[in-house]
Amino acid sequence: MRNAPTILHLDMDAFFASAEQASKPSLRGKAVVVGGLGPRGVVATASYEARVFGVHSAMPMAQARRLAPNAAYLVPRFALYKSVSEQVMALLRALSPLVEPLSLDEAFVDLEAGGAAWDEASARLAGTRLRADIRTVTGLTGSVGLAASKMLAKIASEQAKPDGLVLIEPGSERALLGPMSVRTLPGVGPATGDHLRRAGITTVEELAEAGEDELVRMLGKAHGHALYAMALAHDDRPVVAEREAKSVSVEDTYDVDIHDRLRVGLEVQRLADRCVGRLRGAGLSGRTIVLKVRRYDFSTLTRSETLRGPTDDPAVIREAAARLLESVDTTGGVRLLGVGVSGLADYTQEDLFAQAAAGERDAAAAAEASEEALPDAAEERPEPAERQWRAGYDVRHTEYGHGWVQGSGLGRVTVRFETPQSEPGRVRTFFVDDPALEPAEPLPLVAGTEVAHLLPAGDQTSSVPASLPKSWSGTEGGAAASRP
């Protein structure tokens, strides 16, 4: 294990909720909860103001509403979060070629590999500048941990929250870890934690005192060896640069189980089209189509079919997903559906036979639908997705400009008109079918910064957004211009 604290862990603070607060001036300093708003919804992120009331991630949304009834409850806007994440990751890649993203808002960086830091002073300077530049580019805050290993860097960033920096000095690791809960260590989940607690082991110090042989006896060879090493502050895991995606998938969980077989089929087709949209957006195609079905009793089934070559053709993927659905019994009801594509490639090999078969099936389905259409079918058709005004989503009004949905119901939608750079705006109510009101794209959180369009993997030298602060230009990357 290296001695210098040159492994950096960045964790954005309450990322989804903070992005919503930055986007909506009227919510700054107030309790904000982001997640699924249906009966089965869970909290994705809660702002620090909401955490005061006991709201936290993975909590059922119904429980969160009881704890914080006056909070703002919003559905996630992943397009916004992804664009901000790309800007943050570009800043990290300007520091080092070794960046290991863990999620949209969290990553490890090997500062030494990029020459951005080599000792305690340069690492601290790199972390300080990174936090300042993240705020400049995105308007958000992130917490930074610096240490000689990934495990300790992540522990340090947790201690730094919110909006701070903690550096674990070499030689102090054992004293720092000793009194901490065993749950602090990677690989110790609820089950392992309970097993250790029953053996009288609750702290990292007690874990180390138990000895390697005892831990191997209790937990098995691999797990026992790994936990004993970590209890001694030994963690040799390297920072691994981002790997290419192995699959692209989309899925939806339904508030009420779907029993109608026709509705299930239509949902699968819709998910297939969304999956194709993601494939094409990433410039990819794939050979294996995967269907995921979670039934009423929580049993989850997956079915897959491998084509003769990679494709991004929506008709082919819809056809394959439909065939896979035929082999699944959904009579008891469906809670979740998903469609994915794996075996990815950056080229498409047209399967003319599959395309022809899919085209014939689509044409037959369209003809059958037109023959069976009733005069009042338009009245029974569900409301278009773009008119399902979801709390927190962006809208634009021809007279009042940009705003966001505060709520909807009883044929009306309430909108607050404001932008990230404006003062808190006024609230107005409209009919849901008002032609002057339309869905809109999220606005940049900081004026003049657009989404960072990163280059393909391997070309790291130009993957920095145009809005990067001057401190990152030329050879002055991160901490210092040159190593002494």
Side-chain angles (χ1 to χ4, degrees), residues 168-189:
I168 298 179
E169 297 179 0
S172 67
E173 298 92 347
R174 289 286 302 275
L176 174 75
L177 282 177
M180 291 185 174
S181 167
V182 293
R183 291 290 305 276
T184 304
L185 301 180
V188 182

Side-chain angles (χ1 to χ4, degrees), residues 212-213 215-228:
E212 186 171 17
D213 292 342
L215 294 179
V216 167
R217 186 190 66 79
M218 292 174 57
L219 305 172
K221 187 174 182 180
H223 204 183
H225 283 310
L227 283 187
Y228 182 70

Side-chain angles (χ1 to χ4, degrees), residues 151-152 155 159 168 172-185 201-209 230-233:
M151 175 187 73
L152 292 168
I155 290 172
Q159 292 185 325
I168 298 179
S172 67
E173 298 92 347
R174 289 286 302 275
L176 174 75
L177 282 177
M180 291 185 174
S181 167
V182 293
R183 291 290 305 276
T184 304
L185 301 180
I201 300 173
T202 59
T203 67
V204 176
E205 184 177 13
E206 291 169 344
L207 196 66
E209 291 174 350
M230 290 182 178
L232 299 180

Side-chain angles (χ1 to χ4, degrees), residues 264-395:
V264 172
L266 292 173
E267 287 294 313
V268 168
Q269 300 297 290
R270 182 179 62 82
L271 290 167
D273 287 340
R274 281 175 53 195
C275 187
V276 168
R278 289 193 180 182
L279 271 178
R280 291 183 168 180
L284 297 170
S285 61
R287 296 183 63 230
T288 302
I289 315 303
V290 181
L291 175 71
K292 177 180 177 180
V293 179
R294 180 167 297 148
R295 298 188 291 189
Y296 69 99
D297 58 357
F298 287 91
S299 61
T300 302
L301 305 176
T302 57
R303 299 288 186 269
S304 65
E305 175 181 319
T306 299
L307 307 175
R308 285 181 284 188
T311 183
D312 65 353
D313 186 278
V316 173
I317 293 175
R318 282 197 302 266
E319 172 78 4
R323 283 196 299 271
L324 295 171
L325 179 61
E326 291 173 358
S327 66
V328 178
D329 179 12
T330 63
T331 52
V334 171
R335 301 174 63 90
L336 175 147
L337 289 168
V339 174
V341 177
S342 60
L344 300 181
D346 56 3
Y347 67 96
T348 299
Q349 179 177 318
E350 294 185 0
D351 189 333
L352 300 180
F353 294 103
Q355 290 177 352
E360 291 174 4
R361 181 160 180 162
D362 284 351
E368 183 179 351
S370 63
E371 291 173 4
E372 296 181 357
L374 299 175
D376 59 349
E379 297 178 9
E380 297 181 359
R381 196 164 53 240
E383 191 177 31
E386 63 269 18
R387 288 295 175 183
Q388 294 175 356
W389 306 107
R390 307 181 74 187
Y393 268 43
D394 298 85
V395 296

